[in-house]
Amino acid sequence: MGNLMNKVTVVGSINLDTNLRVKRMVKPGETIHAKEHYSAGGGKGANQAVAASRAGAQTSFIGAVGDDAPGKQMMDLLKNEGIDLTGIDTIADESTGQAFITVDDEGENAITIYAGANFAFGPKEIAQKSALLKDSDFVIAQFETPIAATVKAFEIAHEAGVKTILNPAPGEDHISEELLKVTDMITPNETEAETITGIHVEDEASARKAAAKLHELGVDVAIITIGSKGAFYDYNGVSELVPAFKVKAVDTTAAGDTFIGAMSSILKPDFSNLKEAILFGNKASSLTVQRYGAQPSIPYQKEIEAK
C-alpha cells in the first residue's frame, strides 16, 4: 500500500445523533419505552470523514456547525479523530444539525433529521476554501448539504484535476446534471440507483444497466452497493459484483458511509486499484454493521487490515 496517505476532503453534514434502541418501531399515536438512549457523532459527511481518517487517510472537512453545545461537542469529536477542521464554519443563530435515530431488535432503523447549520452555507463559503479542495486526492460529498455548494466544490476540484466522489444519499428525486458532469465516481445503493436511473436494481444484470445510464450522465466510475450482496462496479469497460463479507448485522447505520470513507483512503486517483479499494471498503463496512451507533461503530485501519 505504501506509506503515502491519500488526502481526502469531505464536503458535508455534521449531526449530533440521538440514538434510541427499541424492541420494535413505534406506531402513530402510541407510546413505547426505549431500552437504551445515547448520543454520538453522526451526519453522513462526518461519518465518511471519520471512516476515511480511521482507515488511514489524511482527512479535511468542509461544512458548518451552529454556535451551540452540540456544535462544540461535534468539533471536539472530529478533532479527536485527527481531522483538519479549518474548513468548518461556526454559524451564529443556527443550530447544529441533529438526527434522531431509532433502531429495533431486527437492526432496522428509522431516522428524522434536522439540518440546521448543514444548510446554512453555499458556493461563496466553498470558494473561500478552494485551497483545501485543490490540495486533495479526492473530494467527497453527499446530499445532506446544499447542492449548489457541492457543485461549486466539485468544479473547483475538477479544474485542479482532483477526483470527485458523489454519494447520492439520502436519495433525491432529481439530480442536477451540472453536478453529475463534475462527478468522477458515484456510489448509490440500489434504491438511490433506481431513483437516479429509473432502473430497478436487484442483481448484477440490472446493476450493469443502471451503471450504463450513470455513464451516459457523465460519471466515469459507478459503484452500486446492493446490501448484503456486495458492491457492483463498472468502470472503463470492466464490471464486477464484489461480494460482501457474510456477517450478522445488528445495526446498519453508517455502513454505506464507512464503505466510502475506507475505500477513499486507499483508492488510487487513477482508479487502477478500484477492486482492491472496494474490498477494503466492504471489509470496513462489515465491521461497522456488527456494532451499534454511527461513528462509534466505524473501524480503524488495523482492524480492517486484520485477516
Side-chain angles (χ1 to χ4, degrees):
M1 189 180 130
N3 46 12
L4 280 174
M5 282 199 286
N6 268 355
K7 287 186 173 175
V8 174
T9 299
V10 178
V11 177
S13 55
I14 300 174
N15 291 334
L16 182 66
D17 286 356
T18 298
N19 296 274
L20 295 172
R21 284 193 54 211
V22 297
K23 200 166 145 172
R24 58 170 179 80
M25 291 296 170
V26 65
K27 296 187 177 78
E30 181 184 39
T31 302
I32 62 171
H33 284 278
K35 300 195 285 190
E36 197 184 336
H37 164 268
Y38 59 96
S39 62
K44 282 192 174 296
N47 293 345
Q48 289 171 18
V50 168
S53 185
R54 288 185 186 175
Q58 195 181 324
T59 311
S60 306
F61 201 95
I62 295 176
V65 292
D67 191 4
D68 54 14
K72 287 185 189 65
Q73 200 176 335
M74 285 306 301
M75 290 295 270
D76 288 345
L77 271 174
L78 295 173
K79 193 174 167 196
N80 288 342
E81 297 289 342
I83 296 167
D84 175 344
L85 308 182
T86 51
I88 301 179
D89 297 329
T90 300
I91 300 176
D93 309 324
E94 198 49 89
S95 318
T96 297
Q98 295 209 44
F100 302 89
I101 300 172
T102 310
V103 180
D104 70 13
D105 281 353
E106 304 300 305
E108 277 303 318
N109 59 29
I111 305 176
T112 305
I113 294 178
Y114 177 71
N118 289 321
F119 269 105
F121 65 93
K124 185 170 108 280
E125 286 76 14
I126 295 289
Q128 293 160 358
K129 302 170 177 74
S130 54
L132 206 54
L133 292 160
K134 290 174 183 171
D135 188 30
S136 313
D137 293 303
F138 295 101
V139 173
I140 303 177
Q142 327 75 33
F143 283 155
E144 289 182 344
T145 47
I147 299 289
T150 303
V151 170
K152 183 70 176 166
F154 278 18
E155 283 172 354
I156 293 167
H158 242 220
E159 276 165 34
V162 173
K163 294 291 194 280
T164 57
I165 301 177
L166 178 65
N167 173 225
E172 293 278 327
D173 287 348
H174 172 74
I175 298 194
S176 111
E177 286 179 16
E178 59 175 342
L179 179 56
L180 292 173
K181 276 196 193 83
V182 283
T183 298
D184 293 303
M185 173 190 276
I186 194 165
T187 60
N189 64 21
E190 66 271 60
T191 322
E192 292 148 6
E194 179 172 358
T195 304
I196 302 164
T197 64
I199 294 160
H200 179 64
V201 176
E202 54 188 352
D203 53 17
E204 204 168 334
S206 50
R208 186 171 290 112
K209 282 195 189 111
K213 184 85 181 150
L214 293 166
H215 294 321
E216 264 173 51
L217 295 167
V219 184
D220 283 348
V221 187
I223 298 179
I224 301 171
T225 53
I226 316 178
S228 57
K229 288 198 176 96
F232 173 85
Y233 73 87
D234 191 316
Y235 169 58
N236 228 357
V238 181
S239 63
E240 189 182 347
L241 178 63
V242 182
F245 291 81
K246 296 269 176 279
V247 295
K248 179 168 167 34
V250 296
D251 179 2
T252 56
T253 314
D257 298 330
T258 301
F259 171 78
I260 289 152
M263 175 183 66
S264 72
S265 74
I266 70 161
L267 186 61
K268 293 195 169 95
D270 63 358
F271 302 122
S272 58
N273 66 338
L274 185 58
K275 184 181 177 179
E276 181 197 342
I278 289 171
L279 274 166
F280 190 75
N282 278 354
K283 178 84 193 287
S285 62
S286 76
L287 293 167
T288 297
V289 299
Q290 297 178 68
R291 310 165 181 174
Y292 288 103
Q295 283 164 26
S297 70
I298 295 170
Y300 290 85
Q301 185 175 5
K302 57 178 189 295
E303 298 177 89
I304 308 168
E305 285 171 353
K307 282 294 162 272

